Amino acid sequence: MDPNLLFWKSQGQSLLSRLHIWFNLLDPTSLLSSDAEIKNAHRLLGSGQKLNEKDGRAQTLSLSSVHADSGTVLPLIFRPPALMPISAPLVVASLLPHSSVKPALFWQLLLHSYSAGFNYANRNSSSEEQSNNRSLKQLLLIAGTVSYATCAGALPQIFINRLGVRSAPIQTLFRSILPVPLSAVLAFFNVYIVRSGESETGIQVFDTNGTPVGLSKAAGNKAVRETALSRAALFGTTAAVPNLLVLLLQRTRLFERSALLAAPVRHISVALVLGMMIPVSFSLFPQLGTIKKDNVEEELRAAADGGQLYYHRGL
């Protein structure tokens, strides 16, 4: 078992402990570290030596920058600490009340392209064999997911333009209410389709000693479902809270006098909610998940001596 997974096995089994860990891991300054520093940090974490306070930086680098299945350094823009600075402007722009369909499609395309790349880079790759056929299938899945999500995400603007909506209540429905469930559903869809291979081929499961015992489709399906739900919570909440806040503030005297205040309040609140929800969504489910003996394939049950097996959920 990878040193990162061994860490999560011992430290990240409660929601509060995971939340505390993720607040530390999402420090954007770790993005400035070189690949050599990250590899050394991962090697140190796996050495079995007792880490002191000085080595805490190495632990953070390894957990935030190294893929727990392959042991390779994650691409810079798809590391967890990069999610906030890169996705924040994309999410803000995608939730803007655009005047036409083209800018809506453009920002939805950028957002879902980055989301698909992040989901793919942080998947569970324990069962993968490099082949041209698999790479082509995965490329088509990602392209199809991004295309569908882009068009679906721009539907509110498409409806407004095509139907020529001028009524304020109907515009509020399309611009402030419909994007909330739409954002959650599309975030779930993006993860579920991009990582669908894990449900089809299975992922590596481990016994209580950290020894690999085989591939489980049930564990793969559970890992993908949990990650998809956490991403739906992230983007659904990020769309809901700012819209609700702006709708409430528009009833106040200050906003009635200065309608232009709504835009900066919306932008700032989207960024703030996204920043707070990223560690929360990452913490909803353990990085090293467990699956009960009765829920895995029959040939793997004998290895579940503790009544359960472990799997890497991905991110």
Side-chain angles (χ1 to χ4, degrees):
M1 184 181 284
D2 187 86
N4 286 1
L5 296 182
L6 289 173
F7 171 86
W8 286 113
K9 186 174 185 289
S10 62
Q11 301 289 334
Q13 290 304 310
S14 73
L15 176 61
L16 290 179
S17 66
R18 292 193 297 271
L19 191 58
H20 175 71
I21 291 168
W22 274 116
F23 268 114
N24 292 328
L25 296 184
L26 293 173
D27 180 6
T29 60
S30 63
L31 297 172
L32 302 175
S33 302
S34 66
D35 286 3
E37 289 179 288
I38 295 170
K39 290 176 182 177
N40 288 334
H42 188 245
R43 195 177 303 114
L44 178 63
L45 191 62
S47 64
Q49 300 176 14
K50 188 174 181 179
L51 302 180
N52 53 39
E53 291 185 6
K54 187 178 179 181
D55 296 326
R57 172 71 175 173
Q59 183 174 277
T60 299
L61 278 180
S62 177
L63 293 171
S64 65
S65 307
V66 177
H67 196 284
D69 291 320
S70 64
T72 58
V73 178
L74 289 166
L76 179 66
I77 62 172
F78 296 133
R79 295 174 194 168
L83 181 60
M84 172 61 185
I86 294 179
S87 65
L90 303 182
V91 173
V92 170
S94 68
L95 293 174
L96 284 174
H98 299 286
S99 58
S100 63
V101 174
K102 287 183 179 180
L105 286 172
F106 174 75
W107 288 111
Q108 290 290 333
L109 175 63
L110 291 184
L111 174 62
H112 292 293
S113 296
Y114 178 73
S115 295
F118 185 89
N119 295 334
Y120 181 71
N122 290 277
R123 71 198 183 283
N124 183 307
S125 60
S126 58
S127 67
E128 293 183 6
E129 296 179 1
Q130 296 299 323
S131 67
N132 291 332
N133 289 337
R134 185 177 182 85
S135 298
L136 179 59
K137 180 183 177 182
Q138 189 64 53
L139 182 62
L140 292 174
L141 274 176
I142 292 175
T145 300
V146 172
S147 300
Y148 179 86
T150 297
C151 295
L155 278 178
Q157 187 64 47
I158 293 173
F159 287 149
I160 290 175
N161 280 54
R162 295 298 180 185
L163 300 178
V165 175
R166 294 291 180 268
S167 169
I170 302 300
Q171 285 202 2
T172 299
L173 171 66
F174 283 126
R175 294 191 188 282
S176 300
I177 299 176
L178 184 57
V180 175
L182 195 58
S183 297
V185 169
L186 292 179
F188 184 98
F189 171 79
N190 197 311
V191 174
Y192 205 84
I193 300 301
V194 169
R195 292 181 52 177
S196 60
E198 297 168 39
S199 302
E200 296 173 2
T201 62
I203 60 175
Q204 189 69 253
V205 289
F206 307 88
D207 62 15
T208 53
N209 298 318
T211 305
V213 297
L215 300 179
S216 171
K217 293 182 180 180
N221 187 54
K222 189 168 183 280
V224 174
R225 186 174 65 252
E226 288 174 345
T227 306
L229 286 172
S230 69
R231 206 74 88 244
L234 169 61
F235 286 102
T237 305
T238 301
V241 174
N243 283 338
L244 179 60
L245 178 64
V246 170
L247 286 175
L248 293 175
L249 290 176
Q250 283 176 340
R251 300 177 179 229
T252 65
R253 292 182 179 179
L254 177 62
F255 273 68
E256 287 177 354
R257 295 173 184 172
S258 304
L260 294 177
L261 287 174
V265 168
R266 185 192 302 272
H267 303 342
I268 294 171
S269 60
V270 167
L272 288 175
V273 174
L274 179 68
M276 290 187 292
M277 278 302 299
I278 287 175
V280 172
S281 66
F282 286 176
S283 305
L284 290 178
F285 300 99
Q287 277 303 104
L288 188 67
T290 58
I291 184 168
K292 293 182 179 179
K293 175 181 178 180
D294 296 336
N295 295 334
V296 298
E297 290 77 357
E298 190 171 350
E299 61 271 19
L300 298 175
R301 292 176 184 174
D305 49 1
Q308 63 184 13
L309 292 171
Y310 296 87
Y311 62 88
H312 173 218
R313 178 174 67 85
L315 197 61

